[in-house]
Amino acid sequence: MANKTSQPTIRLEILRYDPEKDSAPRYQSYEVPFQEEWVVLDAINHIKDQIDGTLTHRWSCRMGVCGSCGMMVNGVAKLGCSAFLRDYYPNPIRVEPLAHFPIIRDLVVQLDGFMAKLQSVQPWIIRKEEKPVEQGEYLQSPAQHARYKDFSMCINCLLCYAACPVTELEPHFLGPAAIALAQRYNLDSRDEGREIRQETVSSHIGIWQCTLVGECSVVCPKHVDPAGAIQQAKLASTMDWYKELLWPWGGKR
Amino acid sequence: MAKSNEPIWWSLFSAGGVVAALLIPVHIFLTGIAGPLGWLPPEAFDYARLQALLSHPITRLYCFVLISLPLFHGAHRIRFTLVDLGIRGVDMLLAVVCYGAAIAGTLVTAGILWNF
């Protein structure tokens, strides 16, 4: 810790809420040392360790890999570990839990809804028939890998859900990350499960809720481009629709 | 889960978006700017000339596409803009009004071009 007398400080206004005790969320201000190299997560950890142990937040890796520390920083969905204090100093920083999720406590939100949505699109490789292990691995060329690589970078940090206005208006919407991951497996040359995923992905709670606002892709810390994934899925579903209309005897896709 | 009929509206919306982005500006430029400012020869918008042009079926088909598809584009955009603005729970009514207007515009366009 730097010399306290000359240390400049920055104020964090953090949303505090314990649904079991508080009738409504409130903001609590904390003055923390301003350090050039500190991110918002460092400041929150400092508060938790030095000022107020009751503050509750999620974090793990501190390096934009684990996706645990998603939060609203001045109203924008960000990873706490990637939002530098110096980009806000000397103004105060308002920190809130991820928007559009129920609050469990303070900055910790309820992920069950998302987990159910994620499972519903079955984001894993589905084979009509598994080949025996002795027959070796499923080979894939670099070009086949490149088709879905970007969509596979998702760390489930849920910034895209907090940024998506459709998620706010339509809580049942599968949402950007779940659809991007469905598309990731649909594009995988080893996968044969697209038809199964279509049941959910192209339903009324799936891709057709999206109005291509594009904020999901703006806030994504891993450059997954969920909006692009949804557009691809819309085009593919539309082709299916016309194919079925014009060629109904052609059997299932 | 219920199969969605959105693909038909979305495909008309997409096709209309292409027309609205690529072709409409050309026509705005020609008939709205270049013509009135006298950048084109005076006979360019001569009535008899345009009538002759429109008498060809391909020109009529072109005009039909040029007018109809952007109507569906606009209808879809208005529908979802209203939803985003918070008009909820009247999905069917919104869809009927928006796409109904586009269908009506398409029919009128087809009628005029057919009888031209």
Side-chain angles (χ1 to χ4, degrees):
Chain A
M1 187 70 45
N3 177 3
K4 273 183 184 157
T5 51
S6 63
Q7 179 69 54
T9 62
I10 185 167
R11 191 165 81 244
L12 264 69
E13 297 163 358
I14 302 183
L15 186 138
R16 303 296 310 271
Y17 185 45
D18 181 349
E20 288 176 4
K21 290 193 197 136
D22 307 334
S23 54
R26 65 200 152 83
Y27 290 94
Q28 191 164 348
S29 290
Y30 300 95
E31 286 290 332
V32 299
F34 171 69
Q35 313 256 25
E36 260 304 293
E37 70 279 16
W38 269 17
V39 290
V40 170
L41 180 63
D42 292 320
I44 294 174
N45 279 337
H46 175 85
I47 295 167
K48 174 94 178 168
D49 293 344
Q50 311 285 332
I51 306 175
D52 182 353
T54 66
L55 179 64
T56 307
H57 67 299
R58 276 198 187 107
W59 65 287
S60 180
C61 77
R62 300 176 292 124
M63 47 202 273
V65 174
C66 73
S68 305
C69 65
M71 53 186 76
M72 306 303 287
V73 180
N74 280 358
V76 179
K78 280 183 186 290
L79 294 179
C81 64
S82 307
F84 281 90
L85 297 183
R86 59 174 181 255
D87 293 334
Y88 303 90
Y89 185 80
N91 300 311
I93 303 173
R94 179 158 278 207
V95 182
E96 295 156 316
L98 280 179
H100 313 153
F101 289 94
I103 299 173
I104 295 177
R105 186 163 163 178
D106 299 339
L107 300 177
V108 175
V109 294
Q110 179 70 263
L111 302 179
D112 297 15
F114 166 71
M115 294 311 289
K117 288 173 186 176
L118 186 60
Q119 278 191 25
S120 75
V121 302
Q122 309 189 42
W124 48 78
I125 286 181
I126 298 171
R127 302 282 306 178
K128 287 183 175 134
E129 246 175 90
E130 285 287 347
K131 70 178 179 185
V133 178
E134 309 84 69
Q135 286 185 26
E137 55 279 81
Y138 296 103
L139 296 178
Q140 189 166 62
S141 72
Q144 287 170 327
H145 178 241
R147 288 184 70 207
Y148 68 82
K149 181 174 172 281
D150 285 355
F151 297 151
S152 73
M153 304 307 280
C154 176
I155 54 174
N156 298 346
C157 66
L158 306 187
L159 300 195
C160 52
Y161 284 73
C164 173
V166 179
T167 305
E168 180 176 18
L169 293 167
E170 181 50 73
H172 298 295
F173 175 42
L174 287 177
I179 297 175
L181 283 166
Q183 186 65 4
R184 173 247 175 278
Y185 285 93
N186 287 344
L187 293 176
D188 193 316
S189 58
R190 300 163 295 181
D191 181 82
E192 295 170 335
R194 175 162 177 268
E195 208 178 301
I196 296 168
R197 280 180 211 108
Q198 279 297 89
E199 283 286 307
T200 353
V201 169
S202 76
S203 73
H204 62 285
I205 57 161
I207 46 179
W208 302 113
Q209 287 287 339
C210 168
T211 51
L212 193 55
V213 175
E215 277 301 303
C216 51
S217 298
V218 174
V219 299
C220 178
K222 297 311 233 183
H223 310 293
V224 168
D225 191 12
I230 296 174
Q231 287 303 101
Q232 284 186 10
K234 279 182 182 176
L235 186 62
S237 296
T238 302
M239 308 279 260
D240 290 345
W241 195 90
Y242 279 101
K243 220 150 79 184
E244 235 167 82
L245 182 77
L246 301 173
W247 194 34
W249 58 89
K252 283 272 168 193
R253 300 176 282 278
Chain B
M1 234 167 277
K3 202 164 157 51
S4 179
N5 278 325
E6 286 298 329
I8 184 157
W9 305 119
W10 186 77
S11 54
L12 288 167
F13 162 76
S14 309
V18 172
V19 172
L22 297 179
L23 298 181
I24 298 276
V26 175
H27 288 271
I28 291 175
F29 176 77
L30 288 177
T31 59
I33 300 171
L37 289 179
W39 295 349
L40 301 173
E43 68 274 14
F45 290 114
D46 183 65
Y47 181 76
R49 191 185 154 107
L50 287 184
Q51 195 180 31
L53 190 64
L54 255 182
S55 65
H56 197 283
I58 290 189
T59 318
R60 290 189 204 183
L61 185 67
Y62 174 81
C63 285
F64 178 72
V65 168
L66 185 74
I67 295 166
S68 170
L69 287 179
L71 286 178
F72 283 98
H73 183 79
H76 192 80
R77 262 212 197 291
I78 290 169
R79 174 187 166 202
F80 279 103
T81 303
L82 291 174
V83 170
D84 283 350
L85 286 174
I87 300 179
R88 317 287 293 176
V90 285
D91 295 9
M92 186 48 96
L93 178 72
L94 268 185
V96 168
V97 170
C98 292
Y99 299 131
I103 291 168
T106 296
L107 291 176
V108 169
T109 306
I112 291 175
L113 288 170
W114 188 263
N115 295 315
F116 190 76

